[in-house]
Amino acid sequence: DARSRAKTELLAHVSHEMRTPMNAVLGISDILARSPLRPEQAHQVEVLAHAGRQVFALINDLLDNARIESGRLELASHPFNLVDLVELQLELLRERAQAQGLWLRVFARTEATGWVLGDQQRVAQIVTNLVGNALKFTRTGGVTVELTREPSQDGPGGLQAGRVQISVQDTGIGIAPDRLERIFQPFAQADASIAQEF
């Protein structure tokens, strides 16, 4: 109990300390966004603000430690534009891809465009993690994120209903079929020796 309390206090302290510089990052990006900027600069400020909001959301997750430990992390479902979200996540990783000489692109099928209902923060995290791993294990070629949607049915208010699928494909080393199940275990790697090589 004492160790658990100490951990909770540490997380609260660390997250509080992280909030202070993050407030500055978000505040300055907000000031910049309202100033006269060239289109390229405005886009860079938008990317910076988006990344800052993501970090803030992760800090909030740290504060919600009790729910995470009990396995009751709740999803916050809101409408958001999936293509815009994925493109923004790729923008955060584009410089890294270019530094490695790799291409990074999104291919959205027509039926997958528009608004979806889901947890925008979790989708952003998942896309960033999958694309980040794909870049890590790819030496030549690049990474493609493909967005598709199951055949739709009319939902409430005429909204399209149908599950969306996000596929991340790369030209890297891949994962041996007999190791695929391991990657879904917490903190597991398919092959530690390969991970060290990369």
Side-chain angles (χ1 to χ4, degrees):
D1 286 348
R3 186 170 40 194
S4 179
R5 279 195 304 273
K7 185 170 67 172
T8 301
E9 287 173 14
L10 174 67
L11 283 173
H13 180 71
V14 169
S15 57
H16 175 74
E17 292 301 318
M18 289 172 70
R19 277 171 177 265
T20 305
M22 282 312 303
N23 275 321
V25 169
L26 291 175
I28 294 295
S29 66
D30 189 42
I31 290 168
L32 283 172
R34 292 195 305 265
S35 62
L37 297 170
R38 295 193 309 272
E40 180 187 343
Q41 291 174 318
H43 177 67
Q44 290 168 344
V45 169
E46 180 190 356
V47 170
L48 174 68
H50 178 72
R53 287 191 296 271
Q54 275 193 283
V55 172
F56 228 103
L58 292 172
I59 292 169
N60 288 335
D61 284 348
L62 282 177
L63 288 171
D64 210 6
N65 187 46
R67 277 199 297 178
I68 294 171
E69 284 189 346
S70 65
R72 290 184 291 128
L73 183 64
E74 294 177 12
L75 298 177
S77 198
H78 300 286
F80 65 94
N81 187 300
L82 180 66
V83 177
D84 288 351
L85 176 74
V86 171
E87 285 180 343
L88 200 46
Q89 294 312 115
L90 296 193
E91 195 65 34
L92 295 173
L93 295 162
R94 196 165 303 285
E95 190 175 323
R96 179 176 152 194
Q98 288 172 347
Q100 293 176 232
L102 304 173
W103 42 259
L104 184 57
R105 61 189 177 208
V106 60
F107 174 58
R109 296 191 179 276
T110 305
E111 71 272 10
T113 58
W115 293 79
V116 298
L117 188 64
D119 192 319
Q120 181 174 351
Q121 180 64 29
R122 300 293 166 224
V123 173
Q125 271 182 286
I126 290 166
V127 169
T128 299
N129 290 344
L130 291 176
V131 173
N133 271 346
L135 290 172
K136 179 180 177 181
F137 293 100
T138 301
R139 286 190 166 149
T140 59
V143 180
T144 301
V145 180
E146 184 177 357
L147 309 174
T148 57
R149 191 192 297 254
E150 289 177 356
S152 63
Q153 304 162 349
D154 283 340
L159 293 173
Q160 279 191 332
R163 224 179 264 185
V164 172
Q165 179 172 312
I166 303 171
S167 303
V168 177
Q169 302 148 13
D170 63 63
T171 56
I173 61 169
I175 301 171
D178 62 333
R179 307 271 178 140
L180 284 173
E181 283 305 312
R182 284 195 52 143
I183 66 172
F184 295 103
Q185 303 304 316
F187 308 109
Q189 293 179 327
D191 188 327
S193 61
I194 290 175
Q196 287 171 359
E197 180 188 341
F198 282 83

